[in-house]
Amino acid sequence: MGRSIYFFGAGQADGDAQQKDLLGGKGAGLAEMTRLGIPVPPGFTVTTEVCNAYYAAGKVLPAGVEDEIKAAIGRLESLRGARFGSADAPLLVSVRSGARASMPGMMDTILNLGLNDEIAQGLARRTGSERFALDAYRRFILAYADIVLGVPRDRFEDALGRARRQAAAKLGVDATRLNSAELERKVPDSLLDPESLAALIQRQKDIVLGATGRPFPDDPAAQLWGAIRAVFDSWKNHRAEVYRKIHDIPEAWGTACTIQVMVFGNLGDDSGTGVAFTRDPSTGERRFYGEWLPNAQGEDVVAGVRTPHPLSLTGTGAGGADDGSSLEARMPAVYAELFAVQGKLEQHFREVQDLEFTIQQNELFLLQCRAAKRTGRAAVRIAVEMAKEGLISQREAILRVDPGSIDQLLHPSIDPSAPKELLARGLPASPGAATGQVVFSADEAERRAGQGRAVILVRSETSPEDIHGMKAARGILTARGGMTSHAAVVARGMGKSCVAGCSAISVSQGRMAVTTYDDHGRTTGAITVKDGDLITLDGGTGTVYLGAVPTVPAALSDEFGELMAWADAVRRLRVRSNADTPHDARTARNFGAEGIGLCRTEHMFFDEERIQAMREMILADSELGRRRALAKLLPFQRSDFLGVFREMAGLPVTIRLLDPPLHEFLPQDEAQLAQLSRATGVSAEDLRHKSEELAEYNPMLGHRGCRLAITSPEIYEMQARAILEAACEVAAAGIEVEPEIMIPLSMTRRELSLTRALVEEVAEKVFAEKGRRVDFRFGTMIELPRAALRAGELAEESEFFSFGTNDLTQTTLGISRDDAGRFLGAYVEAGVFAKDPFQSLDVAGVGELVEIGRDRGRAVRPGLKLGVCGEHGGDPSSIAFFERAGLDYVSCSPFRVPIARLAAAQAALAAEAARGPRATD
Ligand code: PEP
Ligand code: MG
């Protein structure tokens, strides 16, 4: 282990921005800001290595670390001319967590540490405000009791209520009938007088004594050790673990712990605290943007209890006019300094920064800077604009956007022309439209989402304990809090619709009371929304509607088009789409698909008229009967293919012949059986008997795929005819077609030579009948381990392979696709798989079969075209593998085409970087 402590202060720092692994994002940012000459309260960071050593030793700090911490405290004392633990010139510190990746609000932080009764009096003398000193002290006790001593905050609520009532009595406010929220509004923290605060402090200490059997620790040194341990412990608290799982953050990283001199934003009206972004994190617009609260501590902004004010005259957040509450209006000099700092930081890091600052009696301090979390829309705009400003290169711009995050851009928003009933307005905290049933608790959100219901989580405000419910919900609505409240930040990170700070609603006891207003802002009445009622959120405008409101498809920005064009210029992998209908084909093409990689023909058989013919075919006793039924299906198939070919003019279209086991098409209930009996003249009894005959124990490994063609070749004959007749027809109309006929689930050369002979025979007949020839390719899916292993012999018969990684994963792992959901979660939790292998390719196992298939296939047929059409074709980390594996294309669902294009470009850039600079001989 290297050094344990990195000091920063007075313009010098041991660490720098590169050392996030060791110092956490917060520690590294503070060190770098100090080096840049930006005003930062001095402090030091205990490294993540110490955290890991602490856990390795069974939660014991490594030897020597305590002495180093004491020495570092000594340096802070001499820098500030104050003493930790002294009443004469008290030095208070904050103890903050901070991991390599930002985990907003998930871990613990303690402010105002270093106080006891005596020191609080000293602080009162130093600051000239007893009210301030006692307020700092009671906040400290509350946080310390909750975080370090394990006495939950809500145990102190009554004591706080009593203090408010005591203060109310002095103010002449009748508080007898007020509930706690009303009381807080009437007597906010700032109105608690010294006497009520002193009584509150005593009560808090009594509660601690009662709950723990020990007095609250008076010794500042003991407080410090307790807090440092608690910060390290918070790395493994439940909510941090959940957050890590969602965001793929390894447990082995550990958290750092930063101990920093306190500065106070609550020393009066010349003080304050806030959060700022160098660009708008929702839209990406280049404007300095943020919120602040006068006379407040940082936790007041994050907790979202008070609704903050905008920073600047133009950045009014909710879109209203500035009422003189902005920082720019109230403290123009401080605002100007902050504005200069943000510009400097963005230029320095060449990245949008999220800043935390505190103003202590007109003096500005920066407490944190980090790369800002942003919506997908903002990410795209920021990357493109920064490249155009020359701050970053086009290649960096491509790498800056998480492909998963652009999903948000591609999804529908509220239909502006649809009738809708406005319920309330709040802040546009995270864009996107979401409709669902109202639920009031995170647990309930999770439970109902688990039953497949869409829910909107409605809370007064959210806290990190709600994270599982936020994940399960479609959208989040909060009554309180600003654009940087917990709800807003977390929802943006998850790409979820969120309306925050919706002050017209109040939430209590399982219902939401909504005050309604007219156009002039006058109250018109009240509506009660109950658990289970439907509402719709528009997170882009901050609007809440009653009921379900229809949505319209996404409209893509110019910046999005530009970024995609840059990505297309660097990627090597082609991107196709899985599409079964002309409509899907058009969507795919609009999203930039360069062909269809998988058209699943079975999806075409489920329409009312078609399923009937299909059932007749399956249940026919003779080949003649089957052919008669197939003849009815032929025109349907042909017209489907015509539509798809027209949409994809000039691009390849891979059509897979019938794949699923036939019993999937059979009647599911008695009514369907009776209907089929009437249509075919076969008795219901006989039909039932035939259905039972077709049932399989394990249909996924049963009579499906090309096995159907070995027993009933006439099915594939009909399909080949429909494809080729349609191809001739569009060719006759002067439209370029490139059909590719694909055989599913093959594993032997013989299966392919038989089906190929059948297709070629049909082709010759069709071409003779139509008097024209159309070029087409014949190929197969690789979905079984044997197919990958025997790829050489399959390549003798195939011009292309498409890896069906859904089935290939199922058959390689021996895990049923349909049953995996029951236990794969536990597998991922236990670390057997890093991710669900049906979502993200098992590169080590299934990936090796892909490579074997590639090598053995290309050895026989060098020009063999290779693609992927399983779900993995739209998954960024799997795409990175397909790029490395040198495949020709991936194919994914239409909405994932842009994601795949961007991921393919990033994979190409990564591959280029891995090859390193080329030798210049
Ligand atoms: C596959 O198995 O990967 C595939 C694309 O086919 P399906 O999902 O239809 O079985
Ligand atoms: Mg398959």
Side-chain angles (χ1 to χ4, degrees):
M1 195 170 92
R3 63 195 293 175
S4 314
I5 278 176
Y6 285 69
F7 196 84
F8 54 89
Q12 286 179 349
D14 297 335
D16 62 38
Q18 306 308 316
Q19 288 171 304
K20 275 194 193 158
D21 298 4
L22 207 53
L23 306 180
K26 192 173 285 161
L30 288 168
E32 190 77 8
M33 285 197 287
T34 304
R35 283 168 178 263
L36 289 170
I38 288 168
V40 168
F44 57 91
T45 301
V46 187
T47 67
T48 53
E49 283 182 356
V50 173
C51 172
N52 288 333
Y54 168 80
Y55 278 111
K59 296 202 184 183
V60 179
L61 284 177
V65 171
E66 290 197 6
D67 288 339
E68 284 186 65
I69 291 174
K70 282 184 200 150
I73 292 277
R75 278 179 77 183
L76 292 180
E77 289 174 338
S78 42
L79 266 179
R80 301 296 284 191
R83 282 188 69 77
F84 184 65
S86 132
D88 294 336
L91 178 84
L92 303 192
V93 295
S94 62
V95 180
R96 296 162 176 262
S97 54
R100 193 187 302 189
S102 141
M103 296 171 54
M106 295 301 131
M107 290 182 298
D108 291 328
T109 280
I110 293 177
L111 305 178
N112 304 329
L113 186 137
L115 283 168
N116 57 27
D117 294 351
E118 209 186 316
I119 301 172
Q121 286 313 318
L123 184 66
R125 286 194 296 279
R126 280 287 273 222
T127 56
S129 170
E130 191 179 13
R131 208 210 73 74
F132 159 77
L134 294 178
D135 187 53
Y137 189 23
R138 68 101 190 162
R139 283 172 188 247
F140 164 63
I141 295 173
L142 187 67
Y144 197 91
D146 177 29
I147 294 166
V148 184
L149 305 176
V151 189
R153 273 170 192 267
D154 53 17
R155 300 276 291 271
F156 297 89
E157 234 145 62
D158 284 349
L160 183 58
R162 278 173 71 181
R164 287 196 208 284
R165 284 178 204 283
Q166 197 177 336
K170 285 196 196 146
L171 293 164
V173 173
D174 177 14
T176 38
R177 267 189 291 280
L178 300 182
N179 67 29
S180 68
E182 289 161 344
L183 187 62
E184 184 176 350
R185 226 170 295 138
K186 283 256 157 60
V187 189
D189 293 358
S190 58
L191 290 184
L192 294 174
D193 60 295
E195 205 184 325
S196 325
L197 284 167
L200 172 59
I201 287 165
Q202 194 47 54
R203 268 183 233 121
Q204 287 182 327
K205 288 186 175 184
D206 293 345
I207 291 169
V208 169
L209 182 64
T212 65
R214 289 169 178 217
F216 187 83
D218 264 347
D219 172 18
Q223 293 171 359
L224 182 63
W225 304 130
I228 293 172
R229 276 196 201 96
V231 163
F232 286 155
D233 289 347
S234 71
W235 176 247
K236 294 198 182 178
N237 70 28
H238 177 63
R239 59 183 196 238
E241 279 180 349
V242 171
Y243 189 90
R244 276 203 292 278
K245 208 165 288 161
I246 298 173
H247 295 271
D248 282 330
I249 298 173
E251 185 176 298
W253 282 2
T255 180
C257 174
T258 294
I259 290 112
Q260 191 176 21
V261 167
M262 277 303 298
V263 286
F264 301 101
N266 52 344
L267 267 176
D269 285 340
D270 56 359
S271 302
T273 189
V275 183
F277 294 88
T278 58
R279 301 187 191 213
D280 186 323
S282 270
T283 64
E285 188 186 341
R286 190 180 185 188
R287 61 168 181 145
F288 181 44
Y289 171 83
E291 294 166 332
W292 80 298
L293 275 175
N295 197 12
Q297 278 202 335
E299 55 188 20
D300 299 328
V301 180
V302 179
V305 176
R306 284 164 62 187
T307 297
H309 307 297
L311 282 185
S312 75
L313 301 172
T314 49
T316 46
D322 189 3
D323 54 5
S325 66
S326 74
L327 182 67
E328 188 173 11
R330 294 269 284 266
M331 296 188 201
V334 173
Y335 177 79
E337 189 186 354
L338 181 63
F339 188 79
V341 164
Q342 65 91 24
K344 188 173 185 175
L345 284 171
E346 190 180 279
Q347 286 290 320
H348 179 73
F349 286 107
R350 303 188 312 126
E351 175 59 299
V352 183
Q353 296 296 302
D354 162 350
L355 310 173
E356 271 178 31
F357 63 90
T358 284
I359 303 156
Q360 177 172 318
Q361 295 170 319
N362 285 314
E363 193 181 347
L364 174 71
F365 294 94
L366 271 288
L367 298 183
Q368 178 163 309
C369 70
R370 61 183 172 197
K373 291 210 185 297
R374 63 206 78 173
T375 61
R377 189 164 77 136
V380 169
R381 178 164 176 184
I382 288 166
V384 169
E385 289 189 351
M386 281 191 164
K388 289 187 176 168
E389 289 159 22
L391 204 56
I392 60 175
S393 68
Q394 281 186 6
R395 292 177 162 231
E396 282 175 296
I398 292 168
L399 293 169
R400 286 279 172 96
V401 179
D402 170 9
S405 77
I406 60 175
D407 210 14
Q408 304 162 28
L409 279 69
L410 311 172
H411 285 291
S413 54
I414 300 265
D415 178 354
S417 63
K420 38 193 172 280
E421 192 177 340
L422 177 70
L423 190 61
R425 284 186 203 284
L427 298 171
S430 183
T435 297
Q437 298 184 345
V438 166
V439 294
F440 295 105
S441 82
D443 289 344
E444 190 58 19
E446 191 177 53
R447 198 181 66 76
R448 265 187 242 172
Q451 297 169 343
R453 296 201 222 152
V455 298
I456 305 286
L457 178 62
V458 180
R459 308 278 292 157
S460 284
E461 67 235 323
T462 64
S463 80
E465 270 87 27
D466 295 322
I467 186 99
H468 59 293
M470 297 174 78
K471 188 178 171 222
R474 293 279 172 91
I476 295 136
L477 170 63
T478 68
R480 301 200 280 198
M483 294 289 283
T484 50
S485 62
H486 179 265
V489 171
V490 173
R492 275 203 293 277
M494 290 179 172
K496 279 211 169 144
S497 171
C498 176
V499 175
C502 184
S503 52
I505 68 170
S506 84
V507 184
S508 75
Q509 289 159 356
R511 45 185 60 230
M512 164 168 112
V514 188
T515 312
T516 52
Y517 298 91
D518 66 11
D519 290 344
H520 307 286
R522 287 185 296 251
T523 310
T524 52
I527 296 176
T528 300
V529 176
K530 296 182 305 303
D531 179 292
D533 289 352
L534 277 181
I535 61 169
T536 299
L537 304 183
D538 182 350
T541 59
T543 320
V544 186
Y545 301 102
L546 204 55
V549 181
T551 54
V552 289
L556 298 173
S557 67
D558 292 348
E559 288 89 6
F560 179 79
E562 278 176 276
L563 186 76
M564 283 293 138
W566 297 347
D568 289 346
V570 302
R571 78 184 150 88
R572 185 197 60 80
L573 269 174
R574 305 278 95 195
V575 176
R576 296 195 193 179
S577 183
N578 295 356
D580 309 331
T581 63
H583 175 266
D584 286 355
R586 179 177 308 170
T587 308
R589 196 162 191 171
N590 288 340
F591 280 137
E594 296 164 297
I596 288 181
L598 175 62
C599 175
R600 291 176 164 107
T601 48
E602 59 270 19
H603 292 168
M604 298 170 166
F605 292 127
F606 281 96
D607 272 11
E608 188 74 33
E609 288 168 292
R610 305 177 183 197
I611 191 79
Q612 204 66 19
M614 191 68 186
R615 287 172 179 160
E616 281 177 45
M617 189 273 292
I618 296 167
L619 297 170
D621 279 331
S622 62
E623 184 186 327
L624 191 67
R626 279 198 293 276
R627 285 194 185 278
R628 207 177 291 136
L630 284 166
K632 294 187 193 168
L633 287 169
L634 177 72
F636 292 123
Q637 285 258 278
R638 191 174 46 221
S639 78
D640 288 334
F641 296 138
L642 268 175
V644 172
F645 287 145
R646 285 203 189 102
E647 290 295 342
M648 298 309 280
L651 297 174
V653 176
T654 310
I655 297 167
R656 177 177 76 187
L657 303 187
L658 197 67
D659 181 38
L662 293 179
H663 80 110
E664 283 192 11
F665 300 97
L666 288 178
Q668 303 296 317
D669 54 41
E670 288 299 318
Q672 288 181 359
L673 207 69
Q675 194 188 10
L676 187 65
S677 169
R678 279 194 299 278
T680 55
V682 181
S683 75
E685 184 56 21
D686 284 355
L687 289 174
R688 198 176 298 114
H689 189 67
K690 180 88 188 181
S691 294
E692 279 161 13
E693 256 176 38
L694 280 170
E696 295 177 297
Y697 283 109
N698 197 342
M700 270 291 185
L701 300 178
H703 191 188
R704 61 169 284 213
C706 62
R707 296 162 201 172
L708 296 170
I710 303 300
T711 55
S712 312
E714 56 282 357
I715 300 176
Y716 279 17
E717 267 175 49
M718 179 281 285
Q719 292 197 294
R721 174 169 279 278
I723 293 167
L724 294 166
E725 285 184 357
C728 286
E729 203 169 309
V730 287
I735 297 170
E736 233 181 285
V737 271
E738 241 188 90
E740 299 181 330
I741 296 177
M742 182 159 76
I743 305 298
L745 217 75
S746 62
M747 58 180 164
T748 62
R749 177 173 182 173
R750 183 78 179 142
E751 286 165 322
L752 290 181
S753 62
L754 287 171
T755 46
R756 183 170 157 190
L758 173 159
V759 168
E760 279 172 357
E761 198 185 312
V762 171
E764 289 311 317
K765 280 192 203 149
V766 171
F767 297 157
E769 287 161 21
K770 299 282 175 187
R772 67 165 61 238
R773 304 188 71 85
V774 170
D775 278 339
F776 71 94
R777 287 195 199 90
F778 179 88
T780 185
M781 297 189 70
I782 302 291
E783 302 180 276
L784 297 169
R786 190 181 199 280
L789 295 170
R790 304 302 297 164
E793 58 175 278
L794 301 195
E796 304 267 7
E797 306 287 344
S798 313
E799 290 157 279
F800 66 89
F801 285 169
S802 180
F803 290 95
T805 48
N806 302 335
D807 273 309
L808 191 57
T809 298
Q810 165 168 263
T811 53
T812 301
L813 275 51
I815 293 181
S816 152
R817 287 160 72 167
D818 302 324
D819 301 314
R822 302 219 185 120
F823 58 88
L824 263 189
Y827 256 58
V828 173
E829 208 144 297
V832 180
F833 290 119
K835 284 190 194 158
D836 178 342
F838 288 100
Q839 278 170 25
S840 191
L841 194 81
D842 160 38
V843 169
V846 180
E848 184 170 2
L849 280 171
V850 170
E851 287 170 334
I852 290 171
R854 169 201 65 194
D855 291 343
R856 296 185 183 173
R858 281 197 179 144
V860 168
R861 190 189 287 265
L864 185 70
K865 210 177 345 159
L866 300 175
V868 172
C869 63
E871 283 307 299
H872 306 90
D875 170 63
S877 64
S878 310
I879 290 171
F881 167 73
F882 299 134
E883 165 64 35
R884 290 198 300 279
L887 302 193
D888 297 304
Y889 68 88
V890 294
S891 187
C892 56
S893 68
F895 275 93
R896 288 170 96 185
V897 166
I899 298 173
R901 286 160 69 196
L902 183 59
Q906 294 185 347
L909 291 174
E912 194 181 290
R915 281 194 298 273
R918 293 217 184 92
T920 50
D921 52 317

